[in-house]
Amino acid sequence: MPKLPNGERVEENESSVFTLPDESAGESKPSIPYIINPRRWLALAFVAVLALFAAIWFAAPAQLPVAAYKLALVLVAGLAGHLFDCVVFPYAVPSSYLYEDWRAAPEEDREGDADFPVACGCEGLFMAATFRKAAIVAVFVLGVCLGL
């Protein structure tokens, strides 16, 4: 029986080389570690933006309004791209290809599985809708950034 780096033994079977720890023994771990929680990343990004603005204010105080204006333009471009995608493709939003409506339980956490699984047979459509939305937002943001 092979050992994991933390000393736990794992069972080998035909379908998988490694098995998950036994959840009945209380060994379950959170699916997303605390350090990479999306809410924590949002707070860290906000702190980083404030630190960059403080550095601009220290180095060149006259450029602070220009930097704030450019940041606002990029944010407005991203929002405009998202709204454009919603208006042009109202029935092809990525969430319409999910198995269940994600708004019914937005904080749902399924251990060992996707929180909001894609409906069977719609995986390609889901990926296409996601890439389409990302491409439209990127085009809007690049258009504004290159126009500055």
Side-chain angles (χ1 to χ4, degrees):
M1 222 184 248
K3 280 184 159 181
L4 292 175
N6 61 3
E8 290 182 13
R9 293 196 174 271
V10 294
E11 299 175 10
E12 291 185 26
N13 57 25
E14 298 157 6
S15 63
S16 171
V17 175
F18 296 109
T19 59
L20 295 173
D22 185 17
E23 291 182 11
S24 63
E27 298 179 24
S28 65
K29 296 179 182 176
S31 60
I32 299 177
Y34 182 71
I35 192 72
I36 58 172
N37 186 333
R39 291 184 180 125
R40 179 174 290 267
W41 279 107
L42 180 63
L44 289 174
F46 185 70
V47 169
V49 167
L50 289 179
L52 289 173
F53 272 107
I56 292 171
W57 181 57
F58 180 72
Q63 296 299 318
L64 193 60
V66 175
Y69 173 71
K70 288 183 178 185
L71 178 64
L73 280 178
V74 170
L75 292 174
V76 167
L79 182 62
H82 169 71
L83 292 175
F84 178 80
D85 182 71
C86 289
V87 168
V88 175
F89 302 103
Y91 299 109
V93 293
S95 63
S96 66
Y97 299 109
L98 297 178
Y99 182 71
E100 300 169 348
D101 187 14
W102 67 273
R103 293 170 287 195
E107 296 293 326
E108 188 168 348
D109 185 24
R110 298 178 186 178
E111 199 64 39
D113 193 14
D115 291 343
F116 305 107
V118 178
C120 292
C122 294
E123 292 87 0
L125 295 171
F126 175 77
M127 288 189 300
T130 305
F131 288 138
R132 184 206 66 236
K133 182 178 274 292
I136 288 174
V137 171
V139 165
F140 270 69
V141 170
L142 282 174
V144 168
C145 289
L146 292 175
L148 293 178

